[in-house]
Short mmCIF file of all heavy atoms in Angstrom, two decimals:
data_model
loop_
_atom_site.label_atom_id
_atom_site.label_comp_id
_atom_site.label_asym_id
_atom_site.label_seq_id
_atom_site.Cartn_x
_atom_site.Cartn_y
_atom_site.Cartn_z
N ASP A 7 46.07 -140.90 57.12
CA ASP A 7 45.94 -142.30 56.87
C ASP A 7 46.22 -143.18 57.99
O ASP A 7 45.90 -144.38 57.93
CB ASP A 7 46.77 -142.67 55.64
CG ASP A 7 48.38 -142.59 55.94
OD1 ASP A 7 48.66 -141.70 56.72
OD2 ASP A 7 49.11 -143.33 55.24
N LEU A 8 46.82 -142.70 59.07
CA LEU A 8 47.06 -143.47 60.25
C LEU A 8 46.04 -143.42 61.34
O LEU A 8 46.20 -144.03 62.35
CB LEU A 8 48.44 -143.06 60.79
CG LEU A 8 49.64 -143.62 60.01
CD1 LEU A 8 50.93 -142.86 60.36
CD2 LEU A 8 49.90 -145.11 60.36
N ALA A 9 44.95 -142.67 61.12
CA ALA A 9 43.96 -142.45 62.02
C ALA A 9 43.38 -143.80 62.63
O ALA A 9 43.16 -144.00 63.86
CB ALA A 9 42.81 -141.63 61.56
N PRO A 10 43.05 -144.85 61.81
CA PRO A 10 42.48 -146.09 62.37
C PRO A 10 43.44 -146.81 63.31
O PRO A 10 42.98 -147.42 64.20
CB PRO A 10 42.21 -146.85 61.08
CG PRO A 10 42.04 -145.90 59.92
CD PRO A 10 43.06 -144.80 60.30
N TRP A 11 44.71 -146.71 62.97
CA TRP A 11 45.70 -147.44 63.86
C TRP A 11 45.90 -146.64 65.19
O TRP A 11 45.98 -147.19 66.19
CB TRP A 11 47.04 -147.58 63.12
CG TRP A 11 47.02 -148.72 62.18
CD1 TRP A 11 47.47 -149.94 62.40
CD2 TRP A 11 46.44 -148.64 60.83
NE1 TRP A 11 47.23 -150.68 61.21
CE2 TRP A 11 46.62 -149.88 60.24
CE3 TRP A 11 45.92 -147.62 60.11
CZ2 TRP A 11 46.20 -150.27 58.97
CZ3 TRP A 11 45.46 -147.94 58.77
CH2 TRP A 11 45.56 -149.25 58.25
N ALA A 12 45.77 -145.34 65.09
CA ALA A 12 45.76 -144.57 66.32
C ALA A 12 44.48 -144.85 67.20
O ALA A 12 44.63 -145.05 68.40
CB ALA A 12 45.85 -143.04 66.03
N ASP A 13 43.33 -145.00 66.53
CA ASP A 13 42.18 -145.32 67.29
C ASP A 13 42.27 -146.67 67.95
O ASP A 13 41.79 -146.96 69.10
CB ASP A 13 41.01 -145.33 66.32
CG ASP A 13 40.55 -143.93 65.97
OD1 ASP A 13 40.87 -142.97 66.73
OD2 ASP A 13 39.83 -143.81 64.94
N ALA A 14 42.94 -147.69 67.28
CA ALA A 14 43.07 -148.95 67.83
C ALA A 14 43.92 -148.93 69.05
O ALA A 14 43.66 -149.70 70.04
CB ALA A 14 43.66 -149.92 66.78
N ILE A 15 44.95 -148.19 69.00
CA ILE A 15 45.85 -148.00 70.21
C ILE A 15 45.17 -147.34 71.38
O ILE A 15 45.30 -147.77 72.54
CB ILE A 15 47.16 -147.35 69.80
CG1 ILE A 15 47.98 -148.13 68.82
CG2 ILE A 15 47.97 -147.02 71.00
CD1 ILE A 15 49.11 -147.42 68.19
N ARG A 16 44.37 -146.36 71.06
CA ARG A 16 43.63 -145.72 72.13
C ARG A 16 42.65 -146.65 72.77
O ARG A 16 42.50 -146.61 74.04
CB ARG A 16 42.83 -144.49 71.51
CG ARG A 16 43.76 -143.36 71.06
CD ARG A 16 42.86 -142.20 70.54
NE ARG A 16 43.60 -141.16 69.83
CZ ARG A 16 43.62 -141.00 68.56
NH1 ARG A 16 42.77 -141.67 67.80
NH2 ARG A 16 44.40 -140.00 67.97
N LYS A 17 42.06 -147.54 72.01
CA LYS A 17 41.10 -148.42 72.62
C LYS A 17 41.82 -149.43 73.51
O LYS A 17 41.35 -149.76 74.54
CB LYS A 17 40.38 -149.17 71.42
CG LYS A 17 39.27 -150.15 71.93
CD LYS A 17 38.55 -150.77 70.76
CE LYS A 17 37.46 -151.76 71.24
NZ LYS A 17 36.77 -152.39 70.13
N VAL A 18 43.00 -150.00 73.11
CA VAL A 18 43.74 -150.89 73.88
C VAL A 18 44.21 -150.24 75.21
O VAL A 18 44.09 -150.79 76.26
CB VAL A 18 44.96 -151.42 73.16
CG1 VAL A 18 45.83 -152.16 74.09
CG2 VAL A 18 44.50 -152.31 71.94
N ALA A 19 44.64 -148.98 75.08
CA ALA A 19 45.15 -148.27 76.27
C ALA A 19 44.02 -148.08 77.24
O ALA A 19 44.14 -148.28 78.43
CB ALA A 19 45.68 -146.89 75.87
N LYS A 20 42.85 -147.76 76.76
CA LYS A 20 41.61 -147.57 77.64
C LYS A 20 41.14 -148.86 78.26
O LYS A 20 40.97 -148.94 79.50
CB LYS A 20 40.51 -146.87 76.88
CG LYS A 20 39.29 -146.62 77.75
CD LYS A 20 38.19 -145.95 76.92
CE LYS A 20 37.03 -145.56 77.81
NZ LYS A 20 35.92 -144.90 76.97
N GLU A 21 41.08 -149.88 77.53
CA GLU A 21 40.66 -151.26 78.01
C GLU A 21 41.65 -151.80 79.04
O GLU A 21 41.20 -152.42 80.02
CB GLU A 21 40.51 -152.22 76.87
CG GLU A 21 39.41 -151.97 75.97
CD GLU A 21 39.40 -152.82 74.72
OE1 GLU A 21 40.32 -153.56 74.54
OE2 GLU A 21 38.37 -152.88 73.95
N MET A 22 42.96 -151.62 78.88
CA MET A 22 43.93 -152.21 79.74
C MET A 22 44.49 -151.16 80.77
O MET A 22 45.44 -151.52 81.51
CB MET A 22 45.10 -152.73 78.87
CG MET A 22 44.66 -153.80 77.93
SD MET A 22 46.02 -154.64 77.08
CE MET A 22 46.53 -155.78 78.41
N GLU A 23 43.90 -150.03 80.81
CA GLU A 23 44.27 -149.02 81.80
C GLU A 23 45.79 -148.73 81.69
O GLU A 23 46.52 -148.76 82.68
CB GLU A 23 43.83 -149.40 83.21
CG GLU A 23 42.36 -149.52 83.32
CD GLU A 23 41.97 -149.87 84.73
OE1 GLU A 23 42.78 -150.38 85.47
OE2 GLU A 23 40.77 -149.68 85.04
N VAL A 24 46.26 -148.41 80.46
CA VAL A 24 47.63 -148.08 80.21
C VAL A 24 47.69 -146.59 79.94
O VAL A 24 46.96 -146.02 79.21
CB VAL A 24 48.15 -148.85 78.96
CG1 VAL A 24 49.60 -148.51 78.60
CG2 VAL A 24 47.96 -150.31 79.15
N PRO A 25 48.80 -145.93 80.45
CA PRO A 25 49.04 -144.52 80.10
C PRO A 25 49.16 -144.34 78.62
O PRO A 25 49.81 -145.24 77.97
CB PRO A 25 50.35 -144.12 80.83
CG PRO A 25 50.37 -145.08 81.92
CD PRO A 25 49.76 -146.36 81.50
N LEU A 26 48.56 -143.32 78.02
CA LEU A 26 48.69 -143.06 76.60
C LEU A 26 49.32 -141.75 76.25
O LEU A 26 49.03 -140.69 76.81
CB LEU A 26 47.23 -143.09 75.99
CG LEU A 26 47.10 -142.76 74.55
CD1 LEU A 26 47.55 -143.99 73.74
CD2 LEU A 26 45.70 -142.43 74.18
N VAL A 27 50.22 -141.82 75.32
CA VAL A 27 50.86 -140.61 74.78
C VAL A 27 50.28 -140.52 73.38
O VAL A 27 50.53 -141.25 72.52
CB VAL A 27 52.45 -140.81 74.63
CG1 VAL A 27 53.06 -139.63 73.75
CG2 VAL A 27 53.14 -140.78 76.05
N ASP A 28 49.37 -139.57 73.22
CA ASP A 28 48.59 -139.52 72.00
C ASP A 28 49.37 -138.55 71.04
O ASP A 28 48.96 -137.44 70.62
CB ASP A 28 47.19 -138.89 72.29
CG ASP A 28 46.22 -139.28 71.09
OD1 ASP A 28 46.75 -139.68 70.06
OD2 ASP A 28 45.04 -139.15 71.27
N LEU A 29 50.52 -139.08 70.56
CA LEU A 29 51.37 -138.36 69.57
C LEU A 29 50.62 -138.09 68.28
O LEU A 29 50.87 -137.07 67.64
CB LEU A 29 52.67 -139.14 69.40
CG LEU A 29 53.65 -138.56 68.31
CD1 LEU A 29 54.08 -137.13 68.74
CD2 LEU A 29 54.85 -139.50 68.24
N HIS A 30 49.78 -139.01 67.89
CA HIS A 30 49.04 -138.91 66.65
C HIS A 30 48.23 -137.65 66.67
O HIS A 30 48.29 -136.75 65.79
CB HIS A 30 48.24 -140.08 66.30
CG HIS A 30 47.56 -140.10 64.92
ND1 HIS A 30 48.32 -140.25 63.83
CD2 HIS A 30 46.36 -139.75 64.57
CE1 HIS A 30 47.49 -140.19 62.82
NE2 HIS A 30 46.30 -139.85 63.24
N ALA A 31 47.35 -137.50 67.67
CA ALA A 31 46.49 -136.36 67.69
C ALA A 31 47.28 -135.03 67.78
O ALA A 31 46.93 -134.09 67.09
CB ALA A 31 45.58 -136.47 68.92
N ARG A 32 48.30 -134.99 68.58
CA ARG A 32 49.12 -133.80 68.70
C ARG A 32 49.79 -133.44 67.41
O ARG A 32 49.86 -132.31 67.00
CB ARG A 32 50.15 -133.93 69.90
CG ARG A 32 49.57 -133.94 71.30
CD ARG A 32 49.17 -132.51 71.78
NE ARG A 32 50.40 -131.65 71.85
CZ ARG A 32 51.12 -131.52 72.88
NH1 ARG A 32 50.84 -132.22 74.03
NH2 ARG A 32 52.22 -130.67 72.94
N SER A 33 50.33 -134.42 66.78
CA SER A 33 51.19 -134.21 65.56
C SER A 33 50.22 -133.85 64.40
O SER A 33 50.56 -133.04 63.51
CB SER A 33 52.05 -135.38 65.24
OG SER A 33 51.30 -136.58 64.97
N VAL A 34 49.13 -134.48 64.31
CA VAL A 34 48.07 -134.13 63.24
C VAL A 34 47.73 -132.61 63.42
O VAL A 34 47.65 -131.90 62.41
CB VAL A 34 46.83 -135.03 63.39
CG1 VAL A 34 45.66 -134.39 62.59
CG2 VAL A 34 47.13 -136.40 62.83
N ALA A 35 47.40 -132.23 64.59
CA ALA A 35 46.97 -130.84 64.80
C ALA A 35 48.12 -129.84 64.42
O ALA A 35 47.87 -128.87 63.76
CB ALA A 35 46.56 -130.58 66.25
#
């Protein structure tokens, strides 16, 4: 249920060139 919020954070990180810790993807798997 948190996938859309994770996607929003990924988008902000990409647009602003911020390092991303993708805990959501890792924890989901």
Side-chain angles (χ1 to χ4, degrees):
D7 65 333
L8 284 159
W11 282 264
D13 285 340
I15 293 171
R16 292 185 190 107
K17 184 177 180 181
V18 171
K20 184 176 181 180
E21 291 174 350
M22 302 189 74
E23 298 182 341
V24 179
L26 178 72
V27 169
D28 202 346
L29 177 59
H30 186 76
R32 288 282 298 269
S33 61
V34 163

